Amino acid sequence: MTDPQDSTVDTDGTGAARAGATGPAPTRRSLIGWGGAGLALGAAAAGGAVAMTRTGNDVEPAAAAAGAGIAFHGAHQAGIATAVQDRLHFAAFDVKTDDRDAFVQLLKDWTRAAARMTAGHAVGEGAYGGLAEAPPDDTGEALGLKPSRLTLTIGFGPSLFEKFGLADRRPEALVELPKFPGDNLDRARSDGDLCIQACADDPQVAVHAIRNLARIGFGKVAIRWSQLGFGKTSSTTPDAQTPRNLMGFKDGTRNIAGTETERLKKFVWADEKDNGPDAAWMNGGSYLVARRIRMNIETWDRTSLQEQEDIFGRDKGEGAPVGKAKERDEPFLKAMKPDAHVRLAHPDSNGGVTILRRGYSFTDGTDGLGRLEAGLFFLAYQRDVRKGFIPLQRNLSRTDALNEYIQHVGSAVFAVPPGVRDEDDWWGRALFSKEA
């Protein structure tokens, strides 16, 4: 796993919808009732309208409580610097067609569907009322539900560039991850030609989104693996309460804030220096590392409190670094044990390496031996994997005391292109269209 960014797990939190995000004005329907929910916003209507059209800041708390939507169109994809939602459904897909035109049409269809779902609308003609002899356009399980700040974020894996004549468009920063010490990767839960990250405050809204996209893609793509997540383990929102991971420690104290424009530019948004001359389509995008990290929960739960705190380098109650009183006090790394997670993960121990984390906890039943199948689904965005996650994980995988209690069992890396600018744009247009 990786901890507090003090590094891969602990990072200082703040979040914003999206810098430069733009979108159409909210419709009357969006103000009166999201997606047929019939929710009269009443006095909160003004706040909900603002939430739908904000371009660079977090959704207001009142708007979030009302289930407001997040603008789909913008310079960057939503779901990166956006305020982290409570639930996740992440899916990696394999491409099953060699027809380039059919795949491009799928990306266009997905984009239209994503724009509708993030606004709280059904896909196409909806789940009912259409031709009785044909399957409906929408699966229907989100009828009556609010948008719940749904964001949908697409990424392209290295293997996609082996298809459709895209080899010369692969960004230089999109590299395969090396095998790190301690990795025990399940290939069936790793990699993928492309991914969709669905985040929302309602799990059914997130699952509905992935289900609809998989249905639309039938015959062209198939889900390779997926992961449900709950209990965000990091925050991109200033002054928000820092969430805790399944080990009971605060996580994400030093995460990059969605409102920190300069830090996002420095550490998250890729440019021509990262992408190379043949991948200008990725300028303004980011690179995503996804790691499924299983925790040895039962062993951890039998470990003394003192040892737990020594392993992290923070106290379990306040979250303060060793020798400090408050969670956000600057840590004195030399006061921690040499193998403490925070000490090893801190930017000062890694030449300034900083990433933006959006991880989630997961539990997937038991492993057949009475042990909880649980852990951290780690998601990290950065402008260059070669200068971000790889050197950081190399440092952690060698000597981090936390390694006794965790194991990386799934892994993938994706190039996440910039945002969909307007209603005429679509996911991957700059990659697939020469005129773009």
Side-chain angles (χ1 to χ4, degrees), residues 231-251:
K232 59 188 179 186
T233 61
S234 56
S235 172
T236 56
T237 308
D239 304 323
Q241 179 175 321
T242 304
R244 293 180 184 268
N245 57 36
L246 291 183
M247 289 178 164
F249 280 77
K250 291 186 177 181
D251 216 342

Side-chain angles (χ1 to χ4, degrees), residues 2-273:
T2 33
D3 159 303
Q5 181 146 357
D6 281 285
S7 132
T8 37
V9 198
D10 187 320
T11 41
D12 258 85
T14 29
R18 286 176 299 156
T22 58
T27 64
R28 180 175 181 273
R29 179 190 180 203
S30 71
L31 295 178
I32 297 176
W34 295 109
L39 172 68
L41 296 183
V50 170
M52 278 297 294
T53 56
R54 293 183 68 133
T55 60
N57 301 307
D58 282 339
V59 176
E60 297 285 0
I70 292 177
F72 178 74
H73 299 101
H76 306 292
Q77 288 196 66
I80 302 175
T82 307
V84 183
Q85 302 93 319
D86 291 333
R87 302 289 183 145
L88 167 80
H89 191 187
F90 188 97
F93 294 81
D94 285 334
V95 175
K96 297 299 184 181
T97 181
D98 57 5
D99 185 331
R100 181 186 175 109
D101 291 340
F103 183 68
V104 166
Q105 186 59 52
L106 171 63
L107 293 176
K108 294 178 180 179
D109 293 342
W110 269 8
T111 305
R112 284 194 294 270
R116 289 189 61 80
M117 289 189 288
T118 55
H121 305 313
V123 174
E125 297 301 315
Y128 61 90
L131 185 65
E133 292 74 23
D137 288 342
D138 188 280
T139 54
E141 74 276 21
L143 286 172
L145 299 181
K146 295 167 283 188
S148 298
R149 297 195 299 132
L150 172 68
T151 56
L152 293 167
T153 312
I154 196 170
F156 302 134
S159 55
L160 180 67
F161 295 86
E162 300 170 6
K163 302 175 171 65
F164 306 123
L166 296 174
D168 61 346
R169 309 294 305 279
R170 177 172 171 174
E172 293 176 2
L174 184 61
V175 298
E176 303 278 0
L177 297 180
K179 180 175 174 58
F180 299 101
D183 279 2
N184 185 23
L185 303 182
D186 178 357
R187 301 321 307 178
R189 283 185 173 272
S190 299
D191 304 323
D193 292 331
L194 62 156
C195 73
I196 300 288
Q197 171 193 283
C199 297
D201 290 326
D202 186 328
Q204 189 149 320
V205 170
V207 170
H208 166 261
I210 294 295
R211 180 181 173 188
N212 264 301
L213 296 179
R215 178 188 56 78
I216 294 169
F218 182 77
K220 303 180 186 71
V221 296
I223 291 181
R224 178 182 177 89
W225 57 269
S226 68
Q227 181 66 58
L228 294 173
F230 68 92
K232 59 188 179 186
T233 61
S234 56
S235 172
T236 56
T237 308
D239 304 323
Q241 179 175 321
T242 304
R244 293 180 184 268
N245 57 36
L246 291 183
M247 289 178 164
F249 280 77
K250 291 186 177 181
D251 216 342
T253 298
R254 300 174 60 85
N255 204 22
I256 297 175
T259 50
E260 292 182 297
T261 305
E262 289 305 313
R263 288 187 80 199
L264 288 168
K265 181 178 179 181
K266 182 176 181 180
F267 297 114
V268 178
W269 306 132
D271 61 22
E272 59 277 1
K273 295 190 295 293

Side-chain angles (χ1 to χ4, degrees), residues 118-430:
T118 55
H121 305 313
V123 174
E125 297 301 315
Y128 61 90
L131 185 65
E133 292 74 23
D137 288 342
D138 188 280
T139 54
E141 74 276 21
L143 286 172
L145 299 181
K146 295 167 283 188
S148 298
R149 297 195 299 132
L150 172 68
T151 56
L152 293 167
T153 312
I154 196 170
F156 302 134
S159 55
L160 180 67
F161 295 86
E162 300 170 6
K163 302 175 171 65
F164 306 123
L166 296 174
D168 61 346
R169 309 294 305 279
R170 177 172 171 174
E172 293 176 2
L174 184 61
V175 298
E176 303 278 0
L177 297 180
K179 180 175 174 58
F180 299 101
D183 279 2
N184 185 23
L185 303 182
D186 178 357
R187 301 321 307 178
R189 283 185 173 272
S190 299
D191 304 323
D193 292 331
L194 62 156
C195 73
I196 300 288
Q197 171 193 283
C199 297
D201 290 326
D202 186 328
Q204 189 149 320
V205 170
V207 170
H208 166 261
I210 294 295
R211 180 181 173 188
N212 264 301
L213 296 179
R215 178 188 56 78
I216 294 169
F218 182 77
K220 303 180 186 71
V221 296
I223 291 181
R224 178 182 177 89
W225 57 269
S226 68
Q227 181 66 58
L228 294 173
F230 68 92
K232 59 188 179 186
T233 61
S234 56
S235 172
T236 56
T237 308
D239 304 323
Q241 179 175 321
T242 304
R244 293 180 184 268
N245 57 36
L246 291 183
M247 289 178 164
F249 280 77
K250 291 186 177 181
D251 216 342
T253 298
R254 300 174 60 85
N255 204 22
I256 297 175
T259 50
E260 292 182 297
T261 305
E262 289 305 313
R263 288 187 80 199
L264 288 168
K265 181 178 179 181
K266 182 176 181 180
F267 297 114
V268 178
W269 306 132
D271 61 22
E272 59 277 1
K273 295 190 295 293
D274 313 299
N275 303 321
D278 296 319
W281 62 270
M282 260 297 290
N283 295 346
S286 190
Y287 293 92
L288 168 63
V289 171
R291 302 279 282 186
R292 188 173 189 270
I293 305 172
R294 182 174 177 183
M295 296 177 178
N296 301 322
I297 295 292
E298 292 75 18
T299 304
W300 178 259
D301 289 345
R302 294 192 296 270
T303 300
S304 70
L305 174 60
Q306 185 61 61
E307 184 174 350
Q308 289 183 1
E309 292 184 335
D310 287 344
I311 287 169
F312 271 97
R314 289 182 176 271
D315 74 63
K316 199 168 187 176
E318 167 62 26
V322 172
K324 301 290 184 173
K326 299 296 183 182
E327 174 194 348
R328 289 182 170 81
D329 288 347
E330 188 64 28
F332 179 52
L333 301 182
K334 291 184 178 179
M336 303 175 188
K337 291 194 172 183
D339 58 357
H341 180 72
V342 169
R343 178 170 180 170
L344 293 173
H346 195 278
D348 289 352
S349 301
N350 295 277
V353 169
T354 304
I355 57 178
L356 185 154
R357 294 183 55 252
R358 288 185 63 94
Y360 287 82
S361 295
F362 71 84
T363 56
D364 292 335
T366 58
D367 63 359
L369 298 174
R371 297 174 303 194
L372 194 63
E373 180 76 30
L376 168 67
F377 190 65
F378 173 83
L379 296 168
Y381 287 90
Q382 62 246 271
R383 61 181 294 172
D384 191 331
V385 175
R386 299 167 297 180
K387 300 174 183 177
F389 179 79
I390 290 177
L392 182 58
Q393 183 58 23
R394 277 180 174 150
N395 190 26
L396 290 168
S397 63
R398 294 190 185 105
T399 57
D400 189 355
L402 195 57
N403 292 336
E404 182 179 347
Y405 300 92
I406 63 172
Q407 188 168 56
H408 291 239
V409 295
S411 178
V413 61
F414 300 96
V416 177
V420 177
R421 299 286 181 153
D422 51 42
E423 293 181 356
D424 295 323
D425 199 4
W426 42 274
W427 276 336
R429 176 173 175 266

